[in-house]
Amino acid sequence: MNDYIIELQTEWTHAYNFDEIEDLLQKEHYIDVEFKPVDTKYEYHKPKMSSNIFNHIKKSLDPYYAILGLKIGASKRDIGRAYKKLALKYHPDKNKSPNAQEKFKLIVEAYDLLMGKNDDDDILKQPNPFQQATPQNNNPTSSASSNKDEKSPKKSNQSPSRQLRYTNLFHLFHYAENNNMIAKDISTTLEYNFNECYVDHNKHIIFMIQSNIHLEHHQKMKKQYSQLFPEYSLIYVYCLHDEIKDLYPVEVYCMYQEELPIFWKNSKDYKLKMIYFISNYAL
């Protein structure tokens, strides 16, 4: 048995043990797999945000409003005014007190976060939910963002793609190299881990299964993968433990805003739902 554990997030018709999976990957860098048939009742629907997540976001943002001397839900105009006033007051060039520089950094950080600013426009931004209409009946849902980094899944007119090629990020580059998927004269740094990937050659899609929400890193890597595999679309699929909602509420909110595919492991049928999503995905 290998030292690491492969935790597959999908179910195949043929069951391999861990050693068999690794032996096949070492030989060919992929395995032809067939997903178990999935009933249409598992059709993918955009997840709705719960009140619990929304309240955690509120708790996370409240200290930043306090830094600017504002109440939660203040308008962008009020945030801008408060920022300008405090930035002038605590700017190190004008304020020589020992704590001025640290205070100024906190003011800038609060302003950037509440305004949804980011130095890198290519990185997924985290919007402030309290500058949008307050959801009714304490049951907030996210509105679709006008500029999507990820296309929402459409219903496919094709038959489901149950037969795909499995690999992982450790073997993906070698697999792509053997199958002429890599663009010429492109050099990039790939991730090397055992996260599972599924390649659909008919639809020219690579699905990457993620168990974390490092969104900024994923956006950077997606840009590199798009250059490396120009003929393929890269789809990140998030399979997460339920405690992520409590640990990273703002990031989870951002994922809902961007309509990224999220599957929660506390659900008994999350694997079946994810199989349906991958099998029926259409660009």
Side-chain angles (χ1 to χ4, degrees), residues 100-160:
Q101 186 171 6
E102 187 62 30
K103 180 72 174 177
F104 180 76
K105 287 181 180 179
L106 290 174
I107 292 167
V108 172
E109 181 184 354
Y111 174 76
D112 286 347
L113 187 140
L114 295 178
M115 297 292 281
K117 289 182 175 294
N118 198 302
D119 291 336
D120 187 348
D121 289 336
D122 290 332
I123 293 177
L124 193 63
K125 298 178 181 178
Q126 297 178 1
N128 180 353
F130 297 97
Q131 288 170 2
Q132 301 177 10
T134 303
Q136 300 296 319
N137 300 323
N138 201 31
N139 185 26
T141 56
S142 58
S143 59
S145 175
S146 57
N147 295 316
K148 296 286 186 297
D149 288 287
E150 191 88 57
K151 292 182 180 179
S152 298
K154 302 175 183 177
K155 288 197 173 185
S156 174
N157 294 325
Q158 301 173 315
S159 58

Side-chain angles (χ1 to χ4, degrees), residues 149-206:
D149 288 287
E150 191 88 57
K151 292 182 180 179
S152 298
K154 302 175 183 177
K155 288 197 173 185
S156 174
N157 294 325
Q158 301 173 315
S159 58
S161 302
R162 287 178 51 202
Q163 293 182 327
L164 301 176
R165 286 196 163 175
Y166 162 83
T167 184
N168 58 41
L169 285 177
F170 188 81
H171 290 276
L172 178 61
F173 181 83
H174 298 292
Y175 171 78
E177 195 173 38
N178 292 343
N179 288 271
N180 299 317
M181 294 167 58
I182 300 177
K184 295 180 180 179
D185 302 322
I186 293 291
S187 62
T188 187
T189 302
L190 289 178
E191 300 170 284
Y192 290 101
N193 58 51
F194 300 104
N195 288 353
E196 61 191 289
C197 304
Y198 293 96
V199 182
D200 188 331
H201 285 295
N202 292 328
K203 297 178 182 177
H204 284 247
I205 302 174
I206 301 175

Side-chain angles (χ1 to χ4, degrees), residues 70-86:
L70 299 170
K71 292 183 178 181
I72 196 163
S75 67
K76 286 191 175 183
R77 184 178 181 181
D78 288 339
I79 292 172
R81 285 177 173 176
Y83 167 75
K84 185 176 181 180
K85 178 180 177 180
L86 292 171

Side-chain angles (χ1 to χ4, degrees), residues 252-264:
V252 170
Y253 176 86
C254 182
M255 296 175 74
Y256 280 118
Q257 284 290 100
E258 295 298 323
E259 299 179 357
L260 302 181
I262 311 172
F263 299 89
W264 298 104

Side-chain angles (χ1 to χ4, degrees), residues 243-256:
E243 56 265 27
I244 292 289
K245 298 175 185 177
D246 295 331
L247 295 173
Y248 306 102
V250 177
E251 288 82 353
V252 170
Y253 176 86
C254 182
M255 296 175 74
Y256 280 118

